[in-house]
Amino acid sequence: MFVESGADAARSIREVFEAARRPDSSYPRWLDFGCGCGRVARHLARFPFVAELSGVDVDGEAIRWAASHLPGRYAEIPSDPPTALSGGSHDVVYAGSVFTHLDERRQDAWLAELHRVLRPGGLLIASTHGPSLIWARPDVGDEGREQLSGRGFLFAPGGSSSFNDDGTFHSREYLLAHWGKHFGLLHFRESGLDGYQDLAVWQKW
């Protein structure tokens, strides 16, 4: 199940990448941002257009496992930027189930950092929780739902120390207005990742 879910996610990434890429451009250097132990990265590495694959994550144990068992280069990063990655060093960054858990301050900081590490015209492929998924968080009350409806953004802490218990929700309108300061939206697929999270392709301005 674990390996199969990673393969399914990689296929979804490939579909939106192929829909958005410039046919006259190559994209050999890929970065899996928040790669964990390589659930998706192991499959991305097999794509013919990926010549160099790197993965980064805050989980040092997962990074060490990936570095020992999977093709590619893997490095631990801090929970807040910057990273040691060189500016303009990647053609595509994939961020799956990462911005779905970040508050707005960390979101903005990491968007700026990923913008820095992408080459001009490079692509960011990222998943987000659409507003309809708010009902998966029954602990969010009327005030939170009203904030999401009004701003198009809501960060809902999970009440524990687990990163995955926190939930962040984005409307497409918010993404266009806020993420659009760094990137241009090329492709948007509602529920495009695992039939659940929205999946979008952005190009570095």
Side-chain angles (χ1 to χ4, degrees), residues 30-36 38-42 44 53-57 74 92-96:
W30 282 57
L31 172 68
D32 188 338
F33 174 67
C35 65
R39 180 179 72 94
V40 177
R42 68 186 66 205
L44 294 178
L53 177 67
S54 301
V56 295
D57 201 282
Y74 297 88
V92 179
V93 173
Y94 165 63

Side-chain angles (χ1 to χ4, degrees), residues 91-102:
D91 303 292
V92 179
V93 173
Y94 165 63
S97 298
V98 177
F99 288 100
T100 51
H101 302 286
L102 300 181

Side-chain angles (χ1 to χ4, degrees), residues 133-141 145 156-159 164-169:
L133 297 181
I134 192 66
W135 300 106
R137 286 290 302 268
D139 59 310
V140 175
R145 289 190 290 270
N164 287 321
D165 285 344
D166 298 335
T168 307
F169 304 86

Side-chain angles (χ1 to χ4, degrees), residues 180-200:
K181 298 172 185 177
H182 298 278
F183 304 93
L185 181 62
L186 298 180
H187 187 80
F188 186 89
R189 188 166 297 185
E190 188 174 347
S191 304
L193 184 65
D194 301 326
Y196 190 71
Q197 296 180 13
D198 295 341
L199 193 59

Side-chain angles (χ1 to χ4, degrees), residues 8-108:
D8 290 342
R11 280 191 291 270
S12 296
I13 296 162
R14 181 169 187 167
E15 287 175 5
V16 296
F17 168 70
E18 296 285 10
R21 65 171 298 176
R22 288 175 55 98
D24 59 344
S25 186
S26 61
Y27 302 84
R29 302 167 301 171
W30 282 57
L31 172 68
D32 188 338
F33 174 67
C35 65
C37 64
R39 180 179 72 94
V40 177
R42 68 186 66 205
H43 303 286
L44 294 178
R46 300 190 182 113
F47 291 160
F49 43 79
V50 178
E52 300 176 22
L53 177 67
S54 301
V56 295
D57 201 282
V58 299
D59 187 334
E61 183 178 0
I63 285 294
R64 288 188 289 276
W65 189 94
S68 298
H69 294 85
L70 301 177
R73 295 175 295 179
Y74 297 88
E76 184 177 355
I77 56 172
S79 57
D80 288 291
T83 67
L85 299 168
S86 300
S89 57
H90 291 84
D91 303 292
V92 179
V93 173
Y94 165 63
S97 298
V98 177
F99 288 100
T100 51
H101 302 286
L102 300 181
D103 62 27
E104 199 165 30
R105 179 192 67 80
R106 277 206 165 115
Q107 166 196 264
D108 292 349

Side-chain angles (χ1 to χ4, degrees), residues 98-190:
V98 177
F99 288 100
T100 51
H101 302 286
L102 300 181
D103 62 27
E104 199 165 30
R105 179 192 67 80
R106 277 206 165 115
Q107 166 196 264
D108 292 349
W110 280 114
L111 284 173
E113 175 68 359
L114 297 183
H115 185 274
R116 183 186 71 81
V117 304
L118 277 168
R119 66 157 169 87
L123 304 180
L124 168 64
I125 304 174
S127 71
T128 52
H129 286 145
S132 65
L133 297 181
I134 192 66
W135 300 106
R137 286 290 302 268
D139 59 310
V140 175
D142 291 342
E143 183 178 351
R145 289 190 290 270
E146 289 173 5
Q147 179 181 334
L148 176 59
S149 178
R151 287 199 67 223
F153 177 91
L154 177 68
F155 172 70
S160 75
S161 59
S162 173
F163 171 81
N164 287 321
D165 285 344
D166 298 335
T168 307
F169 304 86
H170 302 79
S171 70
R172 182 173 179 172
E173 292 74 21
Y174 172 91
L175 292 170
L176 285 168
H178 203 85
W179 291 34
K181 298 172 185 177
H182 298 278
F183 304 93
L185 181 62
L186 298 180
H187 187 80
F188 186 89
R189 188 166 297 185
E190 188 174 347

